[in-house]
Each structure stands twice: as C-alpha cells, then as structure tokens.
Amino acid sequence: MRLILLLLLIIFAGCAAPGKQNDLQQAVKFAERPKNIILLIGDGMALSQVSAGIYWIGTGKTSFEKFPVVGFHKSHSCDDLVTDSAAGATAFSCGQKTTNGMIGMIAPDNKPCRTILEDLDARGLATGMVVTCSAPHATPASFIAHREIRAFTEEIALDYLKTPLDCFIGGGEHYFNDRPDKLDLEDSLRQRGYVIRRGTSLRGLPLDGSAPFMLFTADREPPTASADRKYLPAATRNVCEYLKKRSDKGFFLMVEGSQIDWACHANDRNWLRAELFDFDRTIKEALEFADMDGETLVIVTGDHECGGLALTEGPSRREFKPVFATRLHTAALVPVFAYGPMAEVFNGLYDNTEIYKKMWSALGVR
Ligand code: MG
Ligand code: ZN
C-alpha cells in the first residue's frame, strides 16, 4: 500500500512539473499592428514533429511553448488531400490552392499569382529569405518564382532576377554560376548591386543595410543539422536586424527549416531530432527580435506533415519511440503559432490559404 502511494506521488509530482510558459509576451508592449512579418516554415512539420521536438528538447523549454496563439491549417492542395511543398508554399505566398508541383502558379489555367513577398517588395518593404535548402527548391521558390513544375530549377533560379529581394541565405550556388545555358546569374546580380558571398560566415556581408546580398551556404543542398550545419539561427537574427535597416516601411522575412521534411522522408529520427533543435533555436532568435522590436509578427507553421510520425511507447516512461508510417507526406492538420501584434487572427482552424489572408489583415492592408 505504501509502495503504491509512493508511486502515485512520484507520478503526480512528474505530471505537475510546471512548464515555464508564456513568460515573454507579458513583459513586452506590442504595437497595435505589425510593421514586420517573420514567417517561419518547418517543411514537413505538423503536430507530431512539434510534439517530438518538445519531448526531445525538454517540455517547457521550447520556443513553441512561448506562443500565446495557436491555430491549425488544412494543408491539402486543390485536387489532392496530400499536398506537396510547392502547392503548400504557394497557398501561403499567394493565398490560393493549386495542384501539387506548381510554383507560384494557379491551376487549371496555370496563371502566375503575385506573392506576398513580391507585393510587399513593391510597396517598399524590405524582403528576405533564409533557408536550409537550395534557392530554387519548392518552398523559397514559391515566394519569388512562377513555374508550372518545381523541377524546372534552372528556370526558377532565373526568377531570382525578377524581384529585388534584399537578401537570400541558403544553398544552390551552382544554379547561378554553373548553368547549362552558360548564363552567369551572379554577374547579373552583381550588376544590380548585390554582394555575393559563399560559405556560412556572416562576416563581409553588408549587414549595415548598404546593399542587397546573396549568401550561398552550399554549392548544392546545404548539409544536414546532424552533420553540423549551424547557420540558420544566427543568420535569421542577423537578417532581421539587416532588413530593419533596409526600409523604414517594414520587412517580410521567410525562414525555412527545409530539412525537417527530408529527415521524415528518410524516416531518420536522429536527423529529425537535430533539425528540430536547429529550428527551435531559430524560432527563439525570431521571438527575441520581436520582443526587442515590438512591431514584428512572428508566425511559425509547417506546409504539411511528413512520414506519418507517431510517438509510441518508448524504452522508459519518460521516452517515446518515434515510428514512421510512410516515407511520404500525409494529410494531417498542421499547427500555426503566432506571436506579436495581431497574433490573435491566427486562432482557429482554417485552410492554409488563410495564412496569406491573415498576414495581410494583420498588416491592415486589403
Ligand atoms: Mg521546403
Ligand atoms: Zn517532402
């Protein structure tokens, strides 16, 4: 009997362990509306990936638990319950559902759609993207390019010359300087005033806001977080400060934890774990900037679930065993976390296209 009581006590004590939650938002006075938007996309990150991240990092210790507002989105594309990242990101960037594989174009007549990044750029806001994939990969591409098929990567790279993006940090340099058509896109960008750098060091970049820049972190795809890729959190923070200097009208920054998806496709739990740690640190940087700035809305979501991840009973009561049901994407709902001015508009359950509309309504435009 005493043993049972003791066991019960231990269990209840364990359950009652308080998480440090929402201690940030009370301390900060936010503006009524945001001037800046940071949209952080965990590719392939839905509720089970976020759950795994929380238990791996330590409950109460993650950035996810600092958000006062959480919603859910329905990730399906226009004709498929299971979306891909092209249709998924186009829903965020253009506010319309399209068919899988399309980049910034709407089915069935394949009309290019104006993205929020392009529109805000045209309104004089500074714009940037920081990712852990190559520049023409589906998610960043869907904010700046317009192509029928995501595999048209050489053509997608050309679209980077059409929008005066203030900065890009990510991989895929060979799409710009070693092309089958022999065009030197780096040279074209330099002629437009861009500073082009290679590597993961932020030194030598015009972070004072004096020029636009591209920092290529890899010739092809950047390494995995489990192979010691580290740049995403610091790059995100520095780009926030940089974009703030680039325009007093505000900025739009898209940050992608691109490889959460790839880890799930590979059903690789160690890779997924490293990517979630990296993405959590990145969100932390965005939140710290938002707290200092007071006029920044931070949105964190995924484009879809990947791997059919389940958190099953683990080797001990405090550990889970991640089990993958598939090597493909699934149709599970995806959580949306919002922080800062007008965060409350992201409450509820809605289509992925609403994220686009909610960003505009938060800004007070349209
Ligand atoms: Mg992606
Ligand atoms: Zn995927």
Side-chain angles (χ1 to χ4, degrees), residues 43 85 133 137-140 256 258 303:
D43 198 310
S85 296
C133 60
H137 213 277
T139 310
E256 189 196 16
S258 320
D303 48 358

Side-chain angles (χ1 to χ4, degrees), residues 149-164:
I149 300 173
R150 58 186 283 173
F152 291 166
T153 43
E154 303 290 342
E155 290 81 0
I156 291 169
L158 283 172
D159 284 357
Y160 270 80
L161 279 85
K162 292 182 187 157
T163 297

Side-chain angles (χ1 to χ4, degrees), residues 282-294:
T282 306
I283 299 167
K284 185 167 172 273
E285 293 293 342
L287 291 181
E288 280 178 18
F289 174 84
D291 272 347
M292 274 196 8
D293 182 68

